[in-house]
Amino acid sequence: MSVRAVRGATQLDEDVREHMLERVEEMVRDVMAANGLEVDDFISIIFTATSDLVSEFPAYAARQLGFSDVPLLCARELEIERSMPRVVRMMAHVETDLPRADLTHVYLHGAAALRRDLSRVRSVPDE
């Protein structure tokens, strides 16, 4: 078993508490599903949010998913000119048998444009 870091990011449409919780929960669940992870596999998670997001701590969404004894930290993303607005990022440290090259980093909604080189496109079924 190795310690690996897996990344994720999502963009919110607006800074509304329930929307923040939904988007962060979706990101965490997708990271878990894409990498075959359970809550017990997580060592810690660092969340960052852009300065235009103030409605809720992103870590609260993870707490609601059962991450009650996993250390979680929220921080402010750097304010860089031309950076994407309303983005929550995560870097999770996990125990896994997956080789680093086989980790799936999850970038959702507008944040998918941030790191197309790292993320694998999640297929959405036709409606």
Side-chain angles (χ1 to χ4, degrees), residues 16-26 28-29 32 39 45 47 55-70 72:
V16 173
R17 182 177 187 270
E18 291 306 316
H19 186 54
M20 164 78 78
L21 295 175
E22 290 168 7
R23 288 284 170 98
V24 174
E25 178 181 335
E26 175 189 33
V28 173
R29 285 185 187 278
M32 293 173 74
V39 172
I45 305 175
F47 292 97
S55 62
E56 183 57 86
F57 292 100
Y60 184 69
R63 293 277 180 239
Q64 290 185 309
L65 290 173
F67 286 78
S68 58
D69 62 350
V70 175
L72 306 175

Side-chain angles (χ1 to χ4, degrees), residues 15 89 126:
D15 184 29
R89 292 171 173 86
D126 294 332

Side-chain angles (χ1 to χ4, degrees), residues 55-117:
S55 62
E56 183 57 86
F57 292 100
Y60 184 69
R63 293 277 180 239
Q64 290 185 309
L65 290 173
F67 286 78
S68 58
D69 62 350
V70 175
L72 306 175
L73 177 70
C74 293
R76 182 64 65 207
E77 187 68 33
L78 292 174
E79 293 187 37
I80 304 298
E81 191 176 328
R82 297 177 312 280
S83 62
M84 186 177 288
R86 299 177 316 281
V87 174
V88 175
R89 292 171 173 86
M90 68 177 277
M91 182 167 61
H93 301 96
V94 300
E95 291 181 309
T96 180
D97 289 325
L98 288 175
R100 185 177 294 145
D102 290 345
L103 289 173
T104 300
H105 305 279
V106 175
Y107 289 77
L108 303 174
H109 307 285
L114 292 172
R115 292 299 304 262
R116 293 193 190 280
D117 60 320

